[in-house]
Amino acid sequence: MSLNNKGNGIHLSKTKKKILTNLAWSSAGKATSLLGGLLVGIIVARYLGPSQYGLMNYVISYVFLFQTFAMFGLDPIEIREEAHTPEAYRKIIGTAFGIKVGMSVIFMALVIITSLVMEADIFTTKLVAIYSLTIILNSFCVIRNYFTALVDNAYVTKAEISRTVLGAGIKIALLLFNAQLTWFIVASMFDFLLLASGYIMAYRKKIGPIFEWTFDTDYARYLLKESFPLLLTNAAVIIYQRIDQVMIGYMIDHESVGFFSVASRFVEVLIYIPMILAQTIMPILVQARNNSDKEYREKAQLFMNVSLWVTLILAVITSVTSYWIIRYTFGLSYNPAVAVLQVMIFKAASVALSNTAGAMLITEGLQRYAIYRDTMGCIVCITLNYLFLPRYGILAAAYIAIISNIVAGYIADAIIPAYRHLFKHQTRAIVLGWKSLFLIKSIYKPYNAR
């Protein structure tokens, strides 16, 4: 790509370089978090055993549901506002932070109260109360959002990588001291404190002191109004993606949560592939659409084909080798997770199909209808788990995880009129997409030539 392209090539080149550098840092941070979490998860799971490890994951998933509501869908709105009016960043950050802290206090109280009502075991409520502090600590993600708006994630990613390394060290130290489950919950909560501290240090070094933030009541009303639709969408997504572990713990037992969580760890790693592909392709799709609709449709279809079939092939390989994967990582005591992993790993393929369509609908500005997709997935997930979990156990939850994603990310596109062209692209990818596996380079050629 030339640096002197039609007079403004230098500026364009620097912008693209900044975007790619930012993407590289974000990818490095996410990869470190995933792989570090998997490694530490294996060590901790082998130490705690299925029952206690399952209880730990039940507590984390339970609190996470409430944390979603506390964030109130503010993150993308905050990033948008900071990108549009960078000179008002102190007011935007301060107001968003104030809203999140206020919401966090409310939902922290709710998570403890509901746990007291639902749980006969006071020990579980004690763990929920400890981990619920993460809801408040997560409010400091306003700093990460600001750096995202600046397209400069290097500082916060360094903080996230440091958190991963320090958090892993703390958990390994707990193993050496034969610590009880409560201390691992404390350590998991402490991870968020480390992250919040890292964000603050990054902000102070790059921007300035946080006490310069200001809270504006009128602006708070505006942010709440703008973010409310996204709250509903985010809540629906999080519920149908994470409610299964909570329902397993509540309707079956914590040991079953442990087995299901082990399988989920590997699914999350594979899901990262279509996620990073979607991030990489977004600017290419935007440029292609600006050039011509035909070029955009062709690149979108090719991207969807490759993303789906690469993920599907990796899912097949993982499913076939799942016995050895579980045995030589988490150990034979987690053998019941094998059957779950053999099935649920194909959730990654359904996510690939959904994410690629998601990249298209954002490129086309059609995200306002996404709430209908996610609501359908949420309803299907909760209903099917309620009906089949008690009878068929965690294997049913594995199938339901796939079904929910297919409903939300594929079938819903056939039902929603604005998304029916996405459904056609997806169907073409399922039937004929395998032919595109060796054409990945053609996605990038025109983009790189500019």
Side-chain angles (χ1 to χ4, degrees):
M1 182 172 61
S2 173
L3 294 180
N4 298 300
N5 184 28
K6 297 182 180 180
N8 64 351
I10 293 177
H11 173 72
L12 182 61
S13 180
K14 288 181 178 179
T15 301
K16 288 182 179 179
K17 184 178 179 181
K18 186 177 182 182
I19 292 172
L20 291 174
T21 301
N22 190 63
L23 179 61
W25 273 108
S26 298
S27 301
K30 184 65 176 176
T32 302
S33 177
L34 276 173
L35 296 176
L38 177 61
L39 179 61
V40 174
I42 290 170
I43 297 171
V44 172
R46 293 178 74 107
Y47 171 78
L48 292 176
S51 183
Q52 287 199 316
Y53 184 66
L55 176 55
M56 180 178 174
N57 280 276
Y58 171 80
V59 168
I60 291 172
S61 296
Y62 186 75
V63 173
F64 189 77
L65 294 177
F66 287 81
Q67 183 174 293
T68 302
F69 288 96
M71 294 302 99
F72 212 81
L74 277 167
D75 290 351
I77 302 301
E78 180 191 343
I79 294 169
R80 183 194 70 188
E81 293 295 306
E82 288 161 351
H84 286 174
T85 54
E87 68 279 359
Y89 72 92
R90 294 183 182 91
K91 180 180 74 172
I92 299 170
I93 299 174
T95 304
F97 181 73
I99 293 171
K100 288 182 178 180
V101 169
M103 292 291 178
S104 296
V105 171
I106 294 171
F107 283 98
M108 181 179 170
L110 284 175
V111 73
I112 297 171
I113 292 170
T114 54
S115 181
L116 283 170
V117 172
M118 293 174 60
E119 290 289 343
D121 181 10
I122 195 65
F123 178 66
T124 301
T125 299
K126 172 188 170 183
L127 299 180
V128 167
I130 293 171
Y131 193 73
S132 67
L133 290 169
T134 61
I135 300 177
I136 294 178
L137 292 171
N138 199 50
S139 300
F140 285 94
C141 69
V142 293
I143 296 174
R144 192 190 206 294
N145 294 337
Y146 180 58
F147 279 98
T148 300
L150 295 177
V151 195
D152 187 9
N153 274 347
Y155 282 88
V156 292
T157 301
K158 290 175 184 177
E160 290 166 353
I161 293 173
S162 299
R163 183 279 302 263
T164 300
V165 174
L166 289 172
I170 291 171
K171 292 181 180 71
I172 291 172
L174 291 176
L175 295 174
L176 297 176
F177 284 98
N178 296 317
Q180 296 181 347
L181 173 61
T182 301
W183 287 106
F184 285 95
I185 294 292
V186 172
S188 297
M189 180 274 294
F190 191 69
D191 282 349
F192 284 79
L193 181 60
L194 288 172
L195 188 59
S197 301
Y199 283 163
I200 293 170
M201 291 172 62
Y203 185 88
R204 290 183 62 184
K205 183 175 181 179
K206 182 74 173 179
I207 311 298
I210 65 173
F211 63 76
E212 293 180 346
W213 295 349
T214 60
F215 183 87
D216 187 293
T217 304
D218 292 333
Y219 194 66
R221 294 193 188 97
Y222 168 76
L223 288 180
L224 289 171
K225 180 181 178 182
E226 289 290 301
S227 62
F228 184 72
L230 291 176
L231 166 67
L232 299 178
T233 300
N234 292 345
V237 171
I238 295 301
I239 287 173
Y240 84 76
Q241 294 287 352
R242 297 295 291 267
I243 194 69
D244 43 19
Q245 294 189 35
V246 175
M247 294 184 74
I248 290 169
Y250 186 70
M251 301 178 72
I252 305 178
D253 54 44
H254 294 142
E255 186 178 53
S256 297
V257 179
F259 299 139
F260 192 85
S261 300
V262 163
S264 298
R265 287 280 186 178
F266 294 102
V267 176
E268 289 168 3
V269 172
L270 185 53
I271 283 175
Y272 178 63
I273 294 174
M275 286 178 61
I276 195 63
L277 283 174
Q279 291 178 15
T280 304
I281 200 70
M282 183 67 72
I284 299 173
L285 289 183
V286 171
Q287 187 181 62
R289 192 164 188 254
N290 290 336
N291 294 337
S292 73
D293 187 68
K294 182 176 182 292
E295 180 184 343
Y296 163 70
R297 297 292 174 192
E298 289 176 352
K299 285 190 177 295
Q301 185 67 63
L302 180 58
F303 162 57
M304 185 177 290
N305 295 349
V306 171
S307 180
L308 171 63
W309 281 90
V310 166
T311 307
L312 186 59
I313 290 171
L314 291 174
V316 171
I317 295 171
T318 305
S319 181
V320 171
T321 59
S322 58
Y323 171 77
W324 293 277
I325 291 173
I326 298 295
R327 177 177 179 178
Y328 293 112
T329 53
F330 286 88
L332 288 174
S333 59
Y334 287 91
N335 196 54
V338 171
V340 179
L341 179 58
Q342 286 175 331
V343 173
M344 197 165 66
I345 196 65
F346 291 97
K347 174 182 175 181
S350 67
V351 170
L353 195 65
S354 175
N355 277 9
T356 50
M360 290 181 67
L361 67 88
I362 291 173
T363 302
E364 297 171 24
L366 298 173
Q367 60 267 32
R368 61 186 177 277
Y369 303 109
I371 180 62
Y372 302 113
R373 286 172 117 221
D374 302 323
T375 300
M376 290 180 198
C378 184
I379 292 171
V380 168
C381 179
I382 294 175
T383 302
L384 293 182
N385 273 305
Y386 180 80
L387 292 175
F388 297 109
L389 257 183
R391 182 178 300 179
Y392 299 106
I394 56 176
L395 194 57
Y399 282 105
I400 292 167
I402 300 171
I403 293 169
S404 302
N405 272 279
I406 291 174
V407 169
Y410 178 56
I411 295 176
D413 292 342
I415 298 173
I416 301 169
Y419 291 173
R420 282 178 187 156
H421 66 292
L422 301 179
F423 177 78
K424 293 178 182 178
H425 278 286
Q426 290 170 308
T427 303
R428 199 173 296 121
I430 293 171
V431 178
L432 301 173
W434 56 273
K435 296 181 179 180
S436 301
L437 287 177
F438 301 101
L439 301 175
I440 184 66
K441 289 184 179 180
S442 64
I443 298 179
Y444 297 92
K445 281 181 181 177
Y447 180 75
N448 291 333
R450 292 182 182 274

